[in-house]
Amino acid sequence: MKIAFWSEQKEVGTSFNLAVIACAAVWLHPLSVAVVSGGYHDDKLERKFFEKGRKAFGVPEEVEQFGREGILAAETQEFFLTSGLECLLRKECPQDLTERLVKANMRQIVKDRMYCLPASMRKEHEWWYQDYQFRRMERVMDAVDSYFDAVFIDCSSRQDDYAKKVFREADVCVLNMDQEAEAIGEFYSNRPDYKGKVFFLLGKYFGDALYTRKNLQRVYRVEEDRLGAIPFNPQLHAADQMGRIESGVRRYVNGDGAEVESEFGKELARTTNLLLRLAGLVA
């Protein structure tokens, strides 16, 4: 199940909202989840889960699994070039993308249940998504999808052809937006035709603002179960800056802190459950 997040607007917290909902999904339900960037070199999503952000994989276990290719890279001090996404893209046959190999090239966020696929260390060039090797990305994504209950794909506000294709073909398309009348009105009045089901998400949401969820449902006649919100939360934004968003979310939905019954926790649980229900992952 591929769930892609995208926004026409920049700086509206699309990656943040994806990370928060993906973590909530893991702690609210017995699901396995992968989070993946919708770009090639973009490690913005990875930095939300790991304090040191992008780093090379360790050599011993991975070298054994990657074979000669990994050994040669390790010997030249460039092992990172054949780990993560780079390793998976270099596989010639789809059958080579086994569950063991795919997960070995991902970074574990929650033991055995939540993983992040690191982006490439190599810079994007103008036509990076037309590179012969990157054309294998679709089958890499299909392989990841086959080993997890849900794959959350961060397309942010990217305008390149690859990100647009990912979002257009996802099973569920999450349109992320600010709590502003003009932008929201444009989204609702000109709904694009996507393959998957569309879910609308309000980021940095304030319940006492003029345009609340209920007002927007009334004005634009949006179904209640297709509109979610992530309230503004300074504590979680601080955790995000430190690469600790998973532990920050856990206290709101898993009973690890007093905030589990807070308005934020309730709104987050509601939004996450609506999205997972739309995706057919929960009843």
Side-chain angles (χ1 to χ4, degrees):
M1 176 61 61
K2 296 174 183 174
I3 304 174
F5 284 61
W6 181 75
S7 177
E8 286 187 340
Q9 305 163 282
K10 295 182 178 181
E11 306 301 328
V12 291
T14 304
S15 301
F16 174 85
N17 292 335
L18 179 154
V20 168
I21 291 177
C23 290
V26 168
W27 291 116
L28 286 170
H29 301 282
L31 298 172
S32 61
V33 167
V35 293
V36 181
S37 172
Y40 184 51
H41 177 72
D42 188 359
D43 70 336
K44 178 166 52 178
L45 183 63
E46 187 181 356
R47 293 199 306 267
K48 299 189 177 304
F49 300 102
F50 304 101
E51 188 172 2
K52 295 182 180 180
R54 180 180 300 180
K55 68 177 182 178
F57 280 78
V59 173
E61 182 181 355
E62 285 76 7
V63 167
E64 180 181 349
Q65 294 182 21
F66 300 160
R68 180 175 175 78
E69 184 179 75
I71 293 172
L72 291 174
E75 288 176 347
T76 60
Q77 303 294 310
E78 295 178 350
F79 183 75
F80 65 87
L81 290 177
T82 50
S83 64
L85 177 59
E86 286 295 330
C87 175
L88 302 183
L89 288 175
R90 291 183 181 218
K91 297 305 175 184
E92 296 287 345
C93 302
Q95 294 84 350
D96 294 334
L97 297 172
T98 63
E99 180 174 4
R100 182 180 180 185
L101 180 71
V102 168
K103 290 185 176 180
N105 279 279
M106 301 180 79
R107 299 185 68 180
Q108 190 168 244
I109 300 169
V110 176
K111 185 173 175 56
D112 297 329
R113 297 186 58 207
M114 186 174 184
Y115 291 76
C116 174
L117 177 62
S120 172
M121 296 288 283
R122 291 194 277 185
K123 299 284 186 180
E124 293 179 2
H125 53 80
E126 186 176 1
W127 304 107
W128 60 271
Y129 49 88
Q130 293 184 11
D131 180 84
Y132 81 96
Q133 186 167 293
F134 189 77
R135 290 179 184 177
R136 300 172 184 168
M137 185 64 179
E138 187 171 350
R139 71 187 189 196
V140 169
M141 296 292 285
D142 287 342
V144 173
D145 186 33
S146 69
Y147 303 133
F148 294 89
D149 295 318
V151 179
F152 289 79
I153 308 170
D154 176 25
C155 296
S156 297
S157 57
R158 302 178 67 96
Q159 296 294 329
D160 56 77
D161 290 350
Y162 174 71
K164 290 180 179 179
K165 182 176 185 293
V166 168
F167 190 69
R168 189 172 57 249
E169 298 181 355
D171 298 297
V172 177
C173 307
V174 180
L175 285 168
N176 187 71
M177 65 199 77
D178 250 339
Q179 194 175 2
E180 298 175 2
E182 291 184 6
I184 293 172
E186 186 176 344
F187 269 113
Y188 288 139
S189 60
N190 300 294
R191 298 191 189 191
D193 184 21
Y194 295 122
K195 169 191 169 184
K197 301 173 183 177
V198 178
F199 186 82
F200 297 93
L201 179 63
L202 302 174
K204 300 179 182 177
Y205 180 75
F206 291 91
D208 56 356
L210 176 61
Y211 295 99
T212 62
R213 276 196 297 104
K214 290 184 178 180
N215 286 341
L216 291 169
Q217 290 165 9
R218 176 177 54 81
V219 173
Y220 297 109
R221 301 183 183 279
V222 180
E223 300 93 334
E224 184 177 357
D225 59 357
R226 295 292 183 100
L227 177 61
I230 302 294
F232 177 72
N233 186 303
Q235 288 80 21
L236 261 188
H237 280 281
D240 173 24
Q241 294 300 311
M242 296 183 288
R244 299 176 182 174
I245 207 165
E246 182 275 324
S247 58
V249 170
R250 192 191 326 147
R251 65 188 301 182
Y252 287 98
V253 295
N254 199 41
D256 288 357
E259 298 90 342
V260 69
E261 293 299 327
S262 69
E263 287 304 312
F264 176 84
K266 293 176 182 177
E267 190 72 52
L268 173 58
R270 173 192 177 276
T271 296
T272 303
N273 286 329
L274 286 178
L275 178 57
L276 295 178
R277 198 170 296 131
L278 181 64
L281 294 169
V282 299

